[in-house]
Amino acid sequence: MSTPNVLTVNDLEITPTYVLSYGLGEDSTAILLRWLEDPSSRDFDLADLAVVTAMTGNEWESTRAAVETHILPRMAAAGVRFIQVGRARRHVTKAGEGVVVLDDSRHPTRLYLEGGYSLWSEMTEAGTIPQSGGARMCSVHSKGDALDPVIAAITRGQPYRHVIGFEAGEVRRADKDRSYNTAVRTGEYPLIDWGWYRADAVNYTVSVVGDSVGKSACTFCPFSFGSKAGREHMLERYRAEPAVAARALLMEHLALALNPKQGLIGGKRLIDLIRAENMTTVLEAFEVLLAGQTHALYDVRRIISSRKGDSAAAGSVDRSLRIRTTGTREDLQAQLDRFAADGTVKGLTTSVIGEDRLTRLYQHQRGTLFPTIERFFVVAPALAAPKEKSRFNERWAELAG
């Protein structure tokens, strides 16, 4: 494949009247497969269809194998246009700057799962993890922001039906999606129209190709841990792909170093679950990966504001992240130990070894009334980028006294 261009699509192609957002999972796969196998299930010609997928860069290899084996050959035989896109950087524009087209073909042969700029890179550069509460902003950034300008480019301002794989148990999600309809975009949900639930979609795919494509999700998706069955499924996948599990643990390890309240399982730590399950192969892969990382000595400061002026309630949090130096984990940890012993940094009060087995050397520990501040030094992989809002230091000086 040649180097992907930024939002360059085939201008000679037919302007599609139907666009399927293909998430590579069970639901959208069943829609696509039925359209291919049963012409009576659709009221349009396949030449008028564009299938679009946004690659997060963190999909499972088992998904690649299933889709490349069972779905892509059928799409190619039918001449269905398949556009694979990704991000080239953290922020993209509505006009498509920062969006890359990985492949645009009516004869697809492979999935470009590696994408461009991955969600893992976004998370580690920010020193955080995807959040399981509120809006799924990780999906908005890595999928929606990349898909929207591509769909706009290929439909060229003409009316189109935007097909999404909400199943019959997700009527509320479909209702919300309808609120995004415009004069040219109309959302459609075939599984709901067919009365198909997830089990129906899986059963149909199995009946056609003899196998399931499996659940599509990022390899560190916190929503996948939301139920007992989901956790067991994720652990099974980690056992099969320990190197993938190790990268998820590395992301969490960095986030924990910078914020002990982080954790991939609804605030709880994935590393604790892996240890409890005695997943030795995964733990060994993680230790090897961690040992191979360049590390940084981070200087972390936070200002925790009060909520609506209530000094007993925590509000918004501003963080300053600076890198003092980089090197090996052992050398930097020794330097941190010297800080604690010889007073190199003034005002150090305590050294805390948390449950995450990371040493933090505190200069300020957050108080119980707000606004309050905290500052600590910690050694962790040098993956997070320094960041500090304007005027942070002015407010810090006021609160630090």
Side-chain angles (χ1 to χ4, degrees):
M1 182 187 70
S2 61
T3 302
N5 296 313
V6 176
L7 198 56
T8 298
V9 294
N10 191 342
D11 290 334
L12 300 179
E13 271 283 2
I14 298 171
T15 302
T17 55
Y18 272 75
V19 177
L20 170 65
S21 286
Y22 184 31
L24 306 177
E26 303 282 12
D27 297 331
S28 51
T29 293
I31 294 172
L32 178 56
L33 197 57
R34 191 180 185 194
W35 282 348
L36 295 173
E37 298 294 317
D38 178 11
S40 68
S41 65
R42 52 182 165 82
D43 59 358
F44 59 91
D45 191 282
L46 291 177
D48 297 321
L49 170 67
V51 178
V52 292
T53 297
M55 299 299 183
T56 66
N58 301 109
E59 186 60 77
W60 297 91
E61 282 299 318
S62 56
T63 297
R64 183 202 299 272
V67 174
E68 287 185 350
T69 300
H70 301 299
I71 309 304
L72 294 193
R74 288 175 166 82
M75 293 176 67
V80 172
R81 186 183 185 187
F82 184 29
I83 306 172
Q84 303 178 63
V85 304
R87 293 181 296 167
R89 63 194 193 202
R90 162 63 182 86
H91 295 287
V92 302
T93 69
K94 291 183 178 180
E97 296 176 10
V99 177
V100 291
V101 176
L102 304 166
D103 194 38
D104 182 358
S105 173
R106 289 190 179 271
H107 302 282
T109 59
R110 61 163 289 197
L111 289 180
Y112 294 89
L113 291 186
E114 60 277 8
Y117 177 80
S118 70
L119 182 59
W120 190 90
S121 295
E122 177 185 341
M123 294 293 104
T124 54
E125 285 180 14
T128 189
I129 55 176
Q131 303 301 308
S132 57
R136 300 191 184 194
M137 296 309 298
C138 54
S139 182
V140 171
H141 294 161
S142 60
K143 293 186 177 183
D145 288 352
L147 287 176
D148 288 347
V150 172
I151 293 173
I154 63 175
T155 55
R156 302 180 176 95
Q158 299 301 307
Y160 69 96
R161 324 294 283 186
H162 190 185
V163 181
I164 300 177
F166 294 139
E167 44 97 351
E170 298 177 310
V171 173
R172 291 180 64 180
R173 293 185 69 186
D175 289 341
K176 181 178 179 180
D177 182 75
R178 287 190 182 93
S179 67
Y180 301 118
N181 285 344
T182 66
V184 296
R185 186 261 189 193
T186 302
E188 291 194 357
Y189 323 98
L191 294 181
I192 294 177
D193 294 339
W194 301 339
W196 284 18
Y197 290 85
R198 176 69 49 78
D200 300 304
V202 173
N203 290 338
Y204 179 78
T205 298
V206 172
S207 72
V208 175
V209 304
D211 196 7
S212 164
V213 297
K215 180 177 175 59
S216 172
C218 284
T219 54
F220 44 79
C221 178
F223 297 97
S224 296
F225 294 103
S227 65
K228 181 179 179 181
R231 287 192 295 273
E232 291 176 351
H233 182 61
M234 288 291 283
L235 292 177
E236 180 181 348
R237 284 184 142 180
Y238 283 155
R239 289 187 181 96
E241 300 183 40
V244 170
R247 282 177 61 81
L249 290 175
L250 182 63
M251 173 199 294
E252 184 187 64
H253 177 83
L254 173 60
L256 285 170
L258 303 180
N259 183 356
K261 295 183 179 295
Q262 296 277 19
L264 269 170
I265 311 177
K268 296 182 180 179
R269 299 171 172 87
L270 175 60
I271 186 66
D272 293 340
L273 177 60
I274 297 294
R275 288 182 179 130
E277 293 291 325
N278 197 28
M279 297 173 64
T280 306
T281 304
V282 170
L283 292 172
E284 290 174 349
F286 170 54
E287 287 302 325
V288 170
L289 182 61
L290 183 61
Q293 300 294 312
T294 298
H295 277 62
L297 176 56
Y298 291 101
D299 180 351
V300 185
R301 292 182 295 164
R302 282 191 181 83
I303 299 173
I304 304 96
S305 300
S306 60
R307 184 187 303 167
K308 296 181 179 180
D310 183 355
S311 62
S316 61
V317 179
D318 291 324
R319 185 186 74 177
S320 164
L321 185 65
R322 295 180 176 181
I323 294 177
R324 292 297 182 177
T325 187
T326 59
T328 68
R329 178 172 50 166
E330 293 76 16
D331 288 346
L332 295 183
Q333 188 60 52
Q335 184 174 339
L336 192 65
D337 293 341
R338 288 196 298 273
F339 283 173
D342 64 15
T344 301
V345 179
K346 294 181 180 180
L348 295 178
T349 56
T350 183
S351 175
V352 176
I353 301 178
E355 293 179 4
D356 44 42
R357 302 182 186 179
L358 287 161
T359 302
R360 300 180 191 85
L361 195 59
Y362 282 86
Q363 185 179 43
H364 297 282
Q365 295 211 50
R366 65 176 68 186
T368 57
L369 296 178
F370 305 95
T372 186
I373 60 174
E374 73 172 2
R375 183 186 191 185
F376 62 84
F377 301 85
V378 67
V379 174
L383 297 169
K387 187 175 182 180
E388 185 177 287
K389 288 184 176 180
S390 62
R391 302 192 67 183
F392 179 93
N393 284 326
E394 294 179 29
R395 191 165 184 226
W396 177 270
E398 294 174 1
L399 295 172

